Amino acid sequence: MDRFADRRFGDIDAEPAMGRLDWDMLHYRNEMASSPVFHGVSPPLIRWIADDRGRVLSREICSDLFARHFTCDMMGHDWRVLLDRRDRRALADAAKGSSRPDPVPVRMRAQSGARRWGIVRMTRVVEADEAPLWYGTVEDIDERHDHDRRALADALAESRQHYRWSVDLSPQVPWTAAPDGRVEEIGPRWQELTGRSPHSARGAGWIASLHPDDVERTLSLWAERLRSGEPVDIDYRICLAGGSYRWMRARASARRDDRGRIVRWYGTLEDIHAEKLAQRALAESEERFRLAIQSARLGIWDFDGASGMRTWSREFRAMLGLSDTEPATSELALRLVHPEDRPRLAAMLDAVAANRLPPHFEATLRVYRADTGALRWIRSIGWSSFAESGRPARVIVTFQDVTEERNSEDRIRWAATHDPMTRMPNRALWQATLEDMTEQARQSGESFGLVMVDIDDLKRINDMLGHDAGDALLCGFAQRFAACAPADATVGRLGGDEFGMIAPSLADSAALAEWSAELLGGVRGPYVHNGRSLDCSVSIGGAVFGEHGDEATELLKAADLALYASKSAGRGRLTMFHSQLRAEAQQRSSMIHMARQAISDDLVVPFYQPKIDLLTGRILGYEALLRWQNPRTGVHAPDSIAAAFDNAEIAVQLTEKMMAAVVRDVSRWLRAGHDPGRVAINASAADFMQHDFAGYVLAHLERSGISPQHFEVEVTETVFLGRGADQVEQALHRLSAAGVRIALDDFGTGYASLSHLKQYPVDVLKIDKSFVSNIEQDAGDAVIVDAIGKLGGSLGMEVVAEGIERQSQIALLLARGCAVGQGYLLGRPRPWAGVRLQAA
C-alpha cells in the first residue's frame, strides 16, 4: 500500500506501463493544451488517492487557495465535512456506476461558511496482486464563474466521453509511430488483447507479441515502407493473453509536413481472425472437392444458363473417350447415348431449354465410348439453381461409370453375405438360414441338428506365428469342415474362430455324435503353412431342434452352452446340450418368471439418471432406466431379468410398462412447474416389430398432453440389423418428424455401419462407458472417443458420454468434442420422488 500512497498524478508519464488511466490523462493534457475552451482552467486544489471504502490514503495540496478557504486536511474520512450529504451521495453513485465516471460538480463548505463550487474527477485503477485504488483531483470553479466553469466542465466531460466511446467501442487498436518507425502510442485494447501493457509495445516492443513465423516478413515490409513512405497494409498473428495466436491486419499512413517530410505514422490494428479462418476453410473445401472429384472418378457437365455455355470436365471426356478439343454439344451427347436411352436424355435437355428442370434429378444411361465403341453404363446426378426470373442459372451434373457395378451385383450380394477369407456364408446369412429352417421345421414337424464349432488355441497361433499363419489355419479348417459336412448342411463362419452348421440329416443326438467324431478325426491332420506344421483341434457343441429348443435363438443358445461346456471340459470334444446344462436355462426361466410377475403386478419402476452439460453443470434431461420392485427383496436392476429381454413378447410388455410410468412422471413434473428437459426411454428391436411402435408412442404422449419435444427414444445398433430393418426405419423417421429425438446408445460396440447414421434420423450418439472408463489410461479408447466426438460434431449430432465416474474424465471428454455426460459422478439414478425433491 505504501508504494501506492507515494504515487503522484503529476508523475503519471514516468510510469513504466501506459494503462487506461495513463491514456485518459494523456488525452486530457492534449485537450488542455490545444483547445481554447480550456484556457484559464483552475489548477487542482488537491490531488488524492483513496481506497474502495472511500478512505483517503494520500493527498497533495496543489494550491494555497485550499489553505485560505478550507481547514479540513482531507485524510481518512475527514473530507466528508466539506460536502453536503447530497454531494457525497453523488460521488458514491458515480463511483458505483463506472471505473472512470464523468466529473462530478460539488459544493464545498469553506471555513467562512460560504459555499464554493468545485469539480471532482476520479479514476479507479486495479493492479496485479494489489487492492483497487481511486485516483482523483478537486478543482475550484467558484460561484462567480459558475456559468463559465460549468461550461468548462461540460465541455471536458463531453470531450472525455467522445474520446472514450471512440476508443472503447472501436474494434480496432489505434497506434502512432515516429518517422523512424518506433511506436510512440498504442490504444488500451492492446493490453486487453495481448495481456501486455501499452508501454511495453512502444519503440520496437510490439515485435515481441508477433508470431515467430511472421516477424521477418512484417519487419521487412515495415522497413521498406519507412523508406518509401507508402501506406502499410499487412496481416500477421499476435500472441493473446492466453497464449494462443490471432490474425490481425495492420494498416498505417504517414502524415507529412509542408516540405513532404514524414512527421508521424498513424495506424490501426484490426482483428481479421474470422476472415482468415473462413478463407482457409473455403480453400480447403475447394481442394477437398477437387480431390473428391478426382478420387471418385466423377465427370462434370456444367451448364451456364446465362451464357448457354456447356463445359465438360477432363474426367468426363475421358469417360466418353473424347479428346480435349471435341466441342461439348447436345448433338454429340445424343449421338453417343444408346438409342433406347436417347429419348430420356433428349427429354432432360428439353427440360433445361424450357425451364422445367427440377432442382435435383438422376438418371442411368448406356453410352458408347467414342474411341472404342464399348458400351458403358453411366450414372448421372444433377443439381440446378435458378435465377429470380425462374430460369436455370446453373446446372451441374456429375457422371460416374457404373458398368462394373451393374455387372457385379451378384458378386456384391455374395460379398455382403459371405466371409471373404473362407468364402463361407457369414453370420448374417447363416442366422437367416437358421431362422428360415426353424420356421419350416415348425410347420412340417421335422427336425434338424445344429452344431457350433470353435477352433482351439487360434489366438496362441496368431500370437506365436503371426496372423498370416492363423488365417491359413482358418482357411484350411474351413475347407475340411465344408468337405466333412453332409450334403444338405448349411455351414458358415460366424466370426473369429467360430463356425456353425445346420443339417436336417443330423436330426438326433446320435447322428450328431457320429458326424462330430468324423470331424474331430478329420481336423487332427496337420496344416502346413510356409513349411511349418500347424496343429488344430476343435470343440463342438450340439443341439437338436424340438429336443433342445423350438426357436432359432433358443436353439443357438443351447448349442452355445454346449460349446462352452466342451471348452471348459478340456476341448477337442463334442458336448450335446443335456440336463447338466439346464442351470442356465432354469436361471433364464426364473428371470422370465420374475419379469412376468413384475408386469402383471405392476412392479416396474423407472429410475432417472440425469444428462449433464459438462461445461455448465446444467441438467439437460434424464434417461429412464428400468427397475422393478420386489415386495420382499426391494428394488432390482434389469440384469436380474436379463433373459426376459430376449423374449420379444415380454420385452414389448416391459417397454409398455416403462412408457406408461415415464409419461405419468413427466406429466407430474410439468404440472408441478419442473421442466425435466428431454426424458429418454430405451426401445428394443422387439418394440419395433409390433404393428405401430411410433403411433403407440405418439398417441401416449398426446393423451397425456406432453409435447414430443420432451421425449427421446434410445436404441442400440442391433435394432438396425436383421429382419424388420425397414419397419425400424419407418418408425424412427415418423418419431423424428413429430419432434421425438433419436439416440444411438452404446455407439461403437455393435455391428452397425456408418451408413446407418445417414439412413436413420439419429440426433444423439452415446459413447459406451467401456470407452469412457479407460480414456485416461488407454490411448486406443481416447482415440475412439475423439473419433466419435468429431463424427457426431460433423453430422450435427449431440455426443453423450456414459459412465463418467471421475472428475478427470470430464476435461478429456470436453477436449474431444463431448459436452454432455452421464455417470455416477454426475448423478445416480433416482426414482421420480427423488428427482422431484432434488429439483425442488
Side-chain angles (χ1 to χ4, degrees), residues 9-180:
F9 284 87
D11 299 328
I12 193 165
D13 285 337
E15 290 294 323
M18 179 176 285
R20 186 178 298 274
L21 175 60
D22 309 76
W23 192 265
D24 285 350
M25 291 297 293
L26 175 62
H27 175 69
Y28 171 69
R29 285 197 298 273
N30 290 339
E31 294 281 35
M32 289 284 290
S34 62
S35 175
V37 176
F38 291 92
H39 287 178
V41 173
S42 299
L45 291 177
I46 190 168
R47 294 186 177 94
W48 53 268
I49 302 175
D51 61 17
D52 254 359
R53 300 174 60 184
R55 183 178 56 184
V56 173
L57 306 177
S58 175
R59 55 103 176 98
E60 178 183 1
I61 298 176
C62 305
S63 170
D64 59 358
L65 182 66
F66 184 90
R68 292 201 307 270
H69 291 287
F70 305 97
T71 59
C72 175
D73 67 355
M74 295 282 290
M75 293 299 292
H77 292 290
D78 290 347
W79 59 273
R80 295 182 178 179
V81 302
L82 295 176
L83 307 179
D84 291 337
R85 177 178 299 177
R86 182 174 59 183
D87 290 336
R88 292 199 302 269
R89 174 55 58 188
L91 285 175
D93 291 342
K96 292 178 182 178
S98 171
S99 61
R100 290 181 294 169
D102 294 333
V104 179
V106 296
R107 288 164 299 178
M108 300 181 293
R109 183 182 296 109
Q111 60 184 349
S112 64
R115 303 283 184 173
R116 297 184 66 85
W117 279 101
I119 288 290
V120 177
R121 295 179 175 83
M122 53 187 175
T123 297
R124 190 173 186 262
V125 176
V126 180
E127 300 208 12
D129 300 324
E130 297 288 348
L133 293 177
W134 286 90
Y135 291 70
T137 62
V138 181
E139 298 174 14
D140 180 75
I141 58 175
D142 199 34
E143 292 178 338
R144 291 170 299 173
H145 304 291
D146 181 70
H147 181 271
D148 293 338
R149 299 300 188 183
R150 287 184 178 275
L152 171 66
D154 291 344
L156 179 59
E158 172 60 23
S159 174
R160 291 172 59 86
Q161 284 287 74
H162 172 75
Y163 179 74
R164 180 180 304 156
W165 282 81
S166 298
V167 173
D168 287 1
L169 296 184
S170 173
Q172 301 177 344
V173 181
W175 57 273
T176 64
D180 62 358

Side-chain angles (χ1 to χ4, degrees), residues 557-806:
K557 287 182 179 180
D560 269 333
L561 285 173
L563 175 61
Y564 179 79
S566 289
K567 297 180 75 70
S568 300
R571 306 186 178 188
R573 67 187 66 200
L574 163 72
T575 300
M576 292 296 298
F577 184 79
H578 55 85
S579 57
Q580 292 182 2
L581 302 177
R582 294 204 177 275
E584 180 75 18
Q586 290 174 356
Q587 183 181 12
R588 179 178 181 278
S589 177
S590 175
M591 289 180 176
I592 292 176
H593 173 74
M594 288 188 292
R596 292 189 185 278
Q597 181 182 357
I599 293 170
S600 63
D601 296 344
D602 200 18
L603 303 177
V604 176
V605 180
F607 273 45
Y608 300 93
Q609 186 173 35
K611 289 189 289 186
I612 304 296
D613 185 325
L614 300 181
L615 287 171
T616 64
R618 185 169 62 93
I619 295 178
L620 303 177
Y622 300 87
E623 180 182 358
L625 303 173
L626 185 145
R627 300 289 187 269
W628 66 282
Q629 179 79 40
N630 187 296
R632 292 183 295 103
T633 57
V635 176
H636 291 266
D639 58 358
S640 63
I641 55 172
F645 297 101
D646 296 326
N647 184 299
E649 176 187 0
I650 299 177
V652 170
Q653 292 175 347
L654 288 171
T655 300
E656 291 175 347
K657 287 291 184 181
M658 280 289 292
M659 183 73 189
V662 169
V663 169
R664 180 194 63 222
D665 290 346
V666 172
S667 179
R668 289 194 291 176
W669 271 324
L670 294 175
R671 289 198 305 270
H674 172 57
D675 183 1
R678 288 188 183 269
V679 179
I681 187 170
N682 292 278
S684 66
D687 295 318
F688 292 93
M689 294 303 103
Q690 63 178 335
H691 62 283
D692 185 9
F693 177 70
Y696 166 79
V697 171
L698 295 176
H700 228 309
L701 295 176
E702 184 177 3
R703 285 195 301 270
S704 302
I706 298 174
S707 169
Q709 306 297 327
H710 284 294
F711 209 69
E712 184 171 295
V713 172
E714 286 192 13
V715 297
T716 59
E717 296 170 332
T718 55
V719 303
F720 299 153
L721 307 175
R723 300 167 66 180
D726 291 341
Q727 199 167 339
V728 172
E729 182 177 3
Q730 293 174 7
L732 292 180
H733 275 289
R734 184 177 174 189
L735 289 170
S736 179
V740 175
R741 286 211 309 181
I742 308 301
L744 185 54
D745 199 10
D746 301 335
F747 184 73
T749 63
Y751 303 97
S753 166
L754 290 179
S755 63
H756 288 123
L757 297 182
K758 295 194 303 181
Q759 180 180 357
Y760 297 96
V762 177
D763 303 299
V764 181
L765 291 181
K766 302 194 73 174
I767 304 174
D768 186 73
K769 63 182 180 181
S770 61
F771 301 125
V772 176
S773 60
N774 294 320
I775 190 174
E776 301 156 279
Q777 298 84 17
D778 192 321
D781 286 346
V783 170
I784 291 174
V785 171
D786 186 63
I788 295 175
K790 291 178 179 176
L791 176 64
S794 299
L795 296 176
M797 299 176 182
E798 178 180 287
V799 180
V800 180
E802 296 184 297
I804 299 176
E805 297 182 356
R806 296 184 296 277

Side-chain angles (χ1 to χ4, degrees), residues 181-497:
R182 297 182 63 81
V183 171
E184 296 178 333
E185 299 174 357
I186 193 165
R189 287 199 68 236
W190 172 265
Q191 184 162 358
E192 297 176 11
L193 287 169
T194 66
R196 300 167 182 252
S197 68
H199 179 82
S200 67
R202 292 178 181 175
W206 59 277
I207 300 173
S209 296
L210 266 62
H211 192 287
D213 295 343
D214 298 337
V215 172
E216 182 178 355
R217 174 175 57 87
T218 302
L219 293 183
S220 176
L221 178 67
W222 185 220
E224 192 279 326
R225 294 296 190 268
L226 289 175
R227 289 192 298 270
S228 67
E230 295 180 358
V232 176
D233 191 341
I234 187 172
D235 302 343
Y236 52 71
R237 290 160 290 182
I238 65 170
C239 183
L240 302 184
S244 62
Y245 284 90
R246 196 165 187 86
W247 280 100
M248 308 294 288
R249 181 182 185 184
R251 287 183 285 186
S253 296
R255 179 166 67 88
R256 300 175 183 270
D257 60 16
D258 295 339
R259 299 182 181 181
R261 293 177 299 187
I262 295 176
V263 176
R264 180 170 284 103
W265 288 86
Y266 292 86
T268 60
L269 198 61
E270 178 183 3
D271 188 327
I272 60 167
H273 194 71
E275 298 174 22
K276 279 286 188 179
L277 295 184
Q279 293 172 1
R280 182 183 300 172
L282 178 60
E284 292 175 351
S285 176
E286 292 175 347
E287 178 67 10
R288 285 197 301 269
F289 178 74
R290 184 183 65 81
L291 294 175
I293 290 296
Q294 291 181 353
S295 62
R297 298 181 180 178
L298 294 178
I300 302 295
W301 180 83
D302 186 356
F303 171 73
D304 188 333
S307 64
M309 181 179 295
R310 294 175 174 83
T311 305
W312 294 358
S313 70
R314 181 174 299 176
E315 291 81 7
F316 186 36
R317 291 177 176 275
M319 197 179 296
L320 300 179
L322 294 171
S323 67
D324 292 343
T325 60
E326 194 78 25
T329 65
S330 300
E331 292 75 14
L332 175 59
L334 285 169
R335 188 171 72 247
L336 295 176
V337 171
H338 191 283
E340 295 180 2
D341 294 340
R342 282 175 190 166
R344 298 177 60 196
L345 177 59
M348 294 170 60
L349 294 173
D350 291 342
V352 173
N355 303 330
R356 291 184 284 102
L357 198 66
H360 176 77
F361 54 91
E362 297 185 16
T364 302
L365 306 173
R366 289 166 290 179
V367 176
Y368 291 103
R369 285 183 61 92
D371 52 355
T372 65
L375 184 66
R376 310 296 294 178
W377 284 92
I378 306 294
R379 177 187 296 149
S380 62
I381 302 176
W383 298 266
S384 55
S385 60
F386 299 87
E388 293 182 0
S389 63
R391 293 183 56 85
R394 199 173 198 90
V395 180
I396 301 291
V397 185
T398 63
F399 296 88
Q400 185 175 23
D401 190 323
V402 294
T403 305
E404 294 301 324
E405 178 182 337
R406 297 279 300 203
N407 294 337
S408 62
E409 288 181 355
D410 290 341
R411 294 198 302 270
I412 293 174
R413 281 195 294 268
W414 185 92
T417 56
H418 288 74
D419 173 52
M421 182 184 298
T422 63
R423 306 185 68 80
M424 281 184 168
N426 60 17
R427 175 180 286 273
L429 177 58
W430 190 85
Q431 287 195 197
T433 303
L434 173 61
E435 292 172 359
D436 292 340
M437 291 184 65
T438 301
E439 186 64 28
Q440 294 172 10
R442 283 202 199 96
Q443 296 176 3
S444 65
E446 297 178 353
S447 185
F448 62 88
L450 180 150
V451 295
M452 303 289 291
V453 181
D454 191 279
I455 300 177
D456 298 329
D457 297 326
L458 179 64
K459 183 178 184 303
R460 178 177 57 81
I461 293 175
N462 283 330
D463 294 341
M464 293 178 60
L465 304 179
H467 284 277
D468 57 338
D471 292 346
L473 178 59
L474 281 170
C475 292
F477 169 75
Q479 294 175 0
R480 296 188 189 183
F481 183 43
C484 187
D488 63 349
T490 298
V491 297
R493 183 187 178 196
L494 308 186
D497 56 0

